[in-house]
């Protein structure tokens, strides 16, 4: 069992929206930048969006304009709003705290949670 509890996934039709939630402990949430990843069938786990402790956001080019990351300090929760869902968004979505290594690569910091499955199908 990891440090993160993801929820909010489900089976939706193309064009619909979902809001995913990721809750973690106060000490992890307060001091770390956070990110959302996804892993589709047969694919690697990719970073989609990140948010700093001060609320600055960054997105992978593939999701810009449709995905919105946010954080609620009162709830130790990070959200991922996904609009205009497409079949290619089908994947398990995970969150994690983020770390920058010596080569300036952004990498996940802690053990993964179970993730939340998003399936987009008509």
């Amino acid at each position: 069992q990891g440090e993160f509890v993801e929820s909010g996934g489900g089976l939706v039709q193309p064009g619909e929206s979902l809001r995913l939630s990721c809750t973690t402990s106060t000490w992890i949430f307060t001091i770390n930048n956070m990110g959302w990843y996804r892993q589709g069938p047969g694919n690697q786990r990719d970073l989609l969006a990140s948010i700093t402790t001060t609320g600055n956001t960054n997105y992978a080019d593939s999701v810009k304009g449709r995905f919105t990351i946010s954080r609620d300090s009162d709830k130790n929760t990070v959200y991922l709003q996904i609009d205009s869902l497409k079949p290619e968004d089908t994947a398990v979505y995970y969150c994690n705290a983020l770390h920058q290594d010596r080569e300036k690569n952004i990498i996940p910091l802690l053990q993964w949670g179970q993730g939340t499955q998003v399936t987009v199908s008509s």
Side-chain angles (χ1 to χ4, degrees), residues 21-120:
S21 300
C22 168
T23 301
T24 188
S25 62
T26 301
W27 74 269
I28 291 174
F29 184 87
T30 302
I31 67 173
N32 289 293
N33 299 337
M34 299 290 294
W36 277 98
Y37 293 75
R38 73 181 174 191
Q39 185 168 19
N43 296 331
Q44 64 183 15
R45 196 169 300 185
D46 294 323
L47 179 62
L48 306 173
S50 63
I51 186 166
T52 68
T53 55
T54 56
N56 293 318
T57 60
N58 194 42
Y59 298 92
D61 288 341
S62 59
V63 303
K64 281 181 181 177
R66 293 194 302 120
F67 287 35
T68 305
I69 189 171
S70 60
R71 60 193 294 161
D72 185 335
S73 299
D74 292 336
K75 298 180 179 179
N76 297 336
T77 298
V78 180
Y79 300 102
L80 186 68
Q81 176 73 33
I82 310 175
D83 297 320
S84 303
L85 277 153
K86 305 175 181 180
E88 50 264 43
D89 294 321
T90 295
V92 180
Y93 287 71
Y94 303 86
C95 71
N96 210 314
L98 302 178
H99 172 67
Q100 190 173 62
D101 64 18
R102 293 182 179 181
E103 288 75 38
K104 305 295 185 183
N105 299 309
I106 304 298
I107 59 176
L109 182 63
L110 299 169
Q111 184 177 352
W112 296 101
Q114 296 297 308
T116 186
Q117 174 72 48
V118 172
T119 303
V120 186

